[in-house]
Amino acid sequence: MNAPHILLLEDERALARAIDRRLRRDGYTVAACENLANARLAAQRRPPELAVLDLRLPDGHGLEFLEWLRAEIGPVPALVMTAFGELDDAIGAMRLGAVDFLKKPLDLDALERIVSDALHRDSPATRTEAAAGDATGAPVIIGDSPAVRTLRREIERIAALGRGSAPPNVLVTGETGTGKDLAARVLHAGSPRAEAPFVQVDCAALPRDLIEAELFGHEKGAFTNAHRARRGLLAAAGAGSAFLNEIGELPLGLQTKLLTALESRTMREIGSDTERAIEAWFIAATNRDIEQMMAAGDFRQDLYYRLNVLTLALPPLRERGEDVLELARHFVDETSARYERDPPRLTEAACGALIDHDWPGNVRELRHVIERAVLVHADTQLEAGHLRLRSWQATTETAPAAAATAGERLPGSDGTLAGNEQALIERTLAETGDNISEAARRLGLSRGALRYRLDKYGLER
């Protein structure tokens, strides 16, 4: 197997010789050049597998060479060397194929690892093929309620902003179980970064004494049991998206380090004195009241404002109307397929029970309810009683009693329970001047439950 070939572009001869010797000692072949003209000739003679280059050169700028390299040779990965104050140039180089940067004065011991990482990093084509082979399909948000249609429009608008070297950070908010991780994946999948990695960091699940090493990575021997160097999750995201789930659980000390990384678009691994550029798009999520946490001193105000450039607020399930039925049918099919069973049919009573429930645990609670009902109770059809929802039991007990207070047969009713219910709803709507909220309150129903019955009986006003 041939040794990887590296093109080195550096006009400081002493530094160039030091890098050349180190790379050759590590087993690479090197073409060392001191100006753009020689570098172009060297790349044409033998296309490099990696370019290591300075940005300030006697006959031009390193970005010019990267543009030429991409146009004439191909998408060759590059490491750029920068001095203090050249960070903006280094970040701009990321758009032209640079995968990392080395900050001067150079740490030659770190050079081997950084070069190895750059050479073994997946190419965009490899990542695309892997995604196509592993995924079951693009992530989607199920439902067609006005709240979800608005959410989809917002995601589409924000996703288009996910390009460039420093895209705006996004904060996803919502109650527990509303699907913040799914929204982040949909956001990534709809962005120009879709073919790059999506790395999810669960801040609440990581051990507090290891979370810094997981996020930022570490050098070998940086702490006890650090037997080898490890790339952090933020670096692993590459040019993709880093999703910081439950950001409110991040310890205060790490909030400071994360803020620095967000502001400078750089990070330093534990035990290293070399800065590494961050390419990833940051998406954070929380179900905590961050403003309350800031008031209590548990969350940094400056970090909140840095994360909250764009906000994506997820609606709770109780505000999504009949989306609950579409989601329930999806989970019925999903659970049945997983356990190789025929999917049961949701009865009308079961649909009513699902609509009536307030779903404090949102979509996550709905999934668990459906999975349990399908596995434990359902055969050919799924009844309301199989769901074991207290809200439905309360409704079935109070609705007939409410109808009975006006007599066994309400005016306009055919005498059946359904007829009495329809007549009672019509009368209550008339008394409230078609005020849905007030009518629902008087009937002891949620707005979603009343709207379901309006559709059921064709009583839309």
Side-chain angles (χ1 to χ4, degrees):
M1 181 177 176
N2 293 330
H5 181 61
I6 297 175
L7 189 151
L8 172 62
L9 178 52
E10 171 59 63
D11 64 323
E12 294 182 18
R13 293 185 179 181
L15 178 58
R17 282 197 300 270
I19 296 173
D20 189 356
R21 283 196 301 268
R22 185 57 182 259
L23 291 175
R24 291 180 188 276
R25 195 188 78 180
D26 294 335
Y28 304 110
T29 63
V30 181
C33 307
E34 60 183 19
N35 56 52
L36 295 179
N38 289 343
R40 292 189 182 104
L41 290 174
Q44 288 171 333
R45 282 196 300 266
R46 182 177 178 183
E49 290 163 79
L50 177 69
V52 179
L53 63 148
D54 196 2
L55 291 178
R56 309 292 180 181
L57 298 158
D59 58 342
H61 198 282
L63 292 181
E64 298 174 22
F65 177 73
L66 279 180
E67 290 175 349
W68 176 88
L69 193 65
R70 168 176 285 187
E72 299 297 328
I73 305 299
V76 178
L79 297 175
V80 296
M81 296 179 285
T82 66
F84 178 77
E86 296 178 353
L87 181 58
D88 289 343
D89 288 338
I91 292 174
M94 298 297 175
R95 296 195 295 268
L96 299 171
V99 295
D100 210 334
F101 76 92
L102 303 162
K103 194 170 183 180
K104 294 181 178 180
L106 240 56
D107 179 357
L108 293 178
D109 289 329
L111 179 65
E112 177 186 2
R113 175 181 53 78
I114 295 172
V115 167
S116 178
D117 281 354
L119 285 167
H120 291 90
R121 186 171 295 186
D122 289 340
S123 67
T126 303
R127 288 197 296 266
T128 302
E129 290 168 5
D134 295 340
T136 57
V140 295
I141 297 176
I142 295 173
D144 196 41
S145 63
V148 166
R149 289 198 297 269
T150 299
L151 178 62
R152 286 199 189 100
R153 287 194 297 269
E154 290 179 352
I155 288 177
E156 183 178 354
R157 176 179 58 82
I158 293 174
L161 303 175
R163 58 170 49 87
S165 59
N169 303 320
V170 182
L171 182 64
V172 184
T173 62
E175 297 177 6
T176 297
T178 49
K180 294 183 288 295
D181 55 343
L182 174 61
R185 290 179 183 275
V186 173
L187 196 60
H188 171 77
S191 76
R193 298 170 177 257
E195 294 183 353
F198 176 89
V199 175
Q200 179 166 333
V201 182
D202 291 307
C203 299
L206 291 173
R208 284 183 170 253
D209 55 344
L210 294 178
I211 189 170
E212 182 177 5
E214 291 290 327
L215 278 174
F216 297 98
H218 60 80
E219 294 284 2
K220 180 180 178 180
F223 51 85
T224 305
N225 296 325
H227 301 303
R228 61 182 179 86
R230 182 174 180 180
R231 188 169 59 161
L233 294 173
L234 298 185
S241 302
F243 174 49
L244 307 175
N245 196 19
E246 301 305 342
I247 191 68
E249 306 300 327
L250 200 65
L252 270 173
L254 274 183
Q255 290 178 26
T256 303
K257 188 167 183 177
L258 178 61
L259 174 64
T260 302
L262 290 173
E263 289 182 333
S264 66
R265 301 293 297 177
T266 64
M267 51 168 269
R268 183 178 297 173
E269 294 163 344
I270 300 174
S272 172
D273 56 3
T274 303
E275 297 285 345
R276 179 191 288 268
I278 298 176
E279 305 172 68
W281 186 17
F282 283 96
I283 306 171
T286 183
N287 66 342
R288 302 279 298 274
D289 187 337
I290 296 294
E291 293 188 1
Q292 189 177 65
M293 292 181 67
M294 288 191 295
D298 295 328
F299 200 87
R300 290 184 61 106
Q301 189 177 56
D302 44 6
L303 176 59
Y304 171 71
Y305 292 131
R306 175 62 65 176
L307 288 170
N308 193 27
V309 177
L310 296 172
T311 304
L312 197 61
L314 302 193
L317 187 55
R318 61 182 173 274
E319 295 179 3
R320 293 176 54 180
E322 291 195 31
D323 282 357
V324 66
L325 300 183
E326 188 175 350
L327 284 162
R329 294 186 181 102
H330 170 75
F331 294 142
V332 166
D333 293 340
E334 184 180 71
T335 305
S336 301
R338 187 185 310 131
Y339 294 96
E340 299 181 346
R341 303 177 56 171
D342 292 330
R345 180 184 64 86
L346 284 167
T347 65
E348 185 175 330
C351 290
L354 292 168
I355 290 289
D356 277 346
H357 193 59
D358 280 341
W359 301 109
N362 293 290
V363 179
R364 184 181 296 125
E365 179 189 0
L366 173 62
R367 179 193 290 272
H368 292 164
V369 166
I370 294 297
E371 285 181 348
R372 181 187 62 216
V374 169
L375 295 177
V376 177
H377 301 291
D379 186 11
T380 58
Q381 60 183 26
L382 200 157
E383 302 283 357
H386 297 159
L387 302 171
R388 300 171 64 184
L389 298 174
R390 293 181 180 179
S391 57
W392 175 254
Q393 295 171 353
T395 301
T396 54
E397 291 171 0
T398 57
T405 58
E408 190 173 354
R409 177 171 178 167
L410 291 175
S413 167
D414 59 5
T416 64
L417 177 60
N420 277 347
E421 184 178 58
Q422 178 178 344
L424 181 61
I425 290 173
E426 288 182 313
R427 188 179 72 183
T428 306
L429 285 171
E431 291 173 353
T432 59
D434 289 341
N435 186 317
I436 300 295
S437 297
E438 177 62 20
R441 189 187 64 78
R442 292 191 187 186
L443 291 167
L445 300 172
S446 67
R447 283 174 55 89
L450 178 55
R451 287 193 178 280
Y452 170 74
R453 285 166 171 77
L454 293 179
D455 289 341
K456 175 183 175 181
Y457 298 124
L459 300 177
E460 281 290 355
R461 299 301 214 224

